[in-house]
Amino acid sequence: MKSVTDSFVSLGHWPSAGGFGFNTDILATNPINLSAVLGVLIYFGKGVLNDLLDNRKQRILSTIRNSEELRKEAIEQLEKARARLRKVETEANEYRVNGYSGIEREKENLINATCDSLERLENYKNETLFFEQQRAINQVRQRVFQQALQGALGTLNSCLNSELHFRTISANLGILGAMEE
């Protein structure tokens, strides 16, 4: 660093020699050489650098375009997924509502069927009770009739003698003969 500042300082102390010549002091001529090299590099390297920058720019632009396309595709897929989700949610709500109404219908049908079955069983029970009562009444009647008949036969057998028996038969035959005519 000191040599660079020395060369600038020494510029102010140049002797006015009056001629043109080459300065062989390397430290004093370094900024001039650097500027010449940089000038040559810029002049000849500008095309290469522009090509490199253009290639880099094209890669960046193509990456941006690809990213935009991927983003658009992702947005489209997201919208499709949201639409499918809305559709599935709608179907789920319909199934839920239909399921609840179906359950309510089944519940009502089951209640109605149970009520009908209970009513039929009640009717069957009442009919069975009625028939059993009728049978019991008929049995009691038969028993009373048999007992009355046995008592009447016993009374008749004890009270009837052969003459009375003959007259009863004759009277009955007369009634039957009158019925035939």
Side-chain angles (χ1 to χ4, degrees):
M1 266 310 220
K2 187 172 173 139
S3 63
V4 172
T5 48
D6 288 342
S7 64
F8 285 117
V9 171
S10 65
L11 285 177
H13 300 307
W14 280 9
S16 55
F20 183 77
F22 288 108
N23 188 355
T24 57
D25 186 11
I26 293 176
L27 296 177
T29 59
N30 200 16
I32 296 170
N33 289 337
L34 285 176
S35 61
V37 168
L38 283 177
V40 169
L41 281 176
I42 289 173
Y43 181 76
F44 289 111
K46 185 167 93 172
V48 173
L49 188 60
N50 279 339
D51 288 342
L52 288 174
L53 290 176
D54 284 341
N55 287 341
R56 178 74 177 146
K57 180 180 173 183
Q58 292 302 323
R59 280 188 296 184
I60 290 172
L61 289 175
S62 67
T63 303
I64 290 172
R65 275 191 295 262
N66 290 340
S67 297
E68 284 294 318
E69 289 175 9
L70 291 174
R71 187 179 73 79
K72 286 178 184 177
E73 290 175 8
I75 288 172
E76 288 174 4
Q77 290 176 354
L78 179 63
E79 289 301 318
K80 288 178 183 177
R82 284 181 180 164
R84 280 193 310 242
L85 178 64
R86 284 190 296 268
K87 181 181 175 186
V88 167
E89 285 176 344
T90 304
E91 289 175 359
N93 287 336
E94 288 176 7
Y95 286 135
R96 186 174 29 251
V97 167
N98 290 340
Y100 287 142
S101 62
I103 288 170
E104 289 297 319
R105 273 194 310 272
E106 288 296 320
K107 185 172 114 180
E108 284 293 320
N109 291 341
L110 184 60
I111 289 171
N112 291 337
T114 304
C115 288
D116 291 344
S117 296
L118 285 174
E119 188 175 327
R120 277 183 277 148
L121 286 174
E122 186 69 25
N123 290 340
Y124 180 71
K125 179 190 82 166
N126 291 337
E127 288 175 4
T128 304
L129 284 174
F130 178 76
F131 288 134
E132 287 298 320
Q133 286 174 347
Q134 292 299 319
R135 195 175 92 198
I137 289 171
N138 286 338
Q139 286 177 351
V140 169
R141 282 183 185 164
Q142 284 179 356
R143 187 109 97 156
V144 169
F145 180 72
Q146 283 177 355
Q147 286 177 355
L149 189 60
Q150 285 176 357
L153 282 176
T155 304
L156 277 177
N157 283 338
S158 65
C159 294
L160 280 180
N161 55 20
S162 57
E163 182 184 327
L164 187 56
H165 192 62
F166 181 69
R167 277 190 332 189
T168 305
I169 291 174
S170 296
N172 284 332
L173 284 175
I175 293 173
L176 282 175
M179 286 172 71
E180 286 182 3
E181 292 176 1

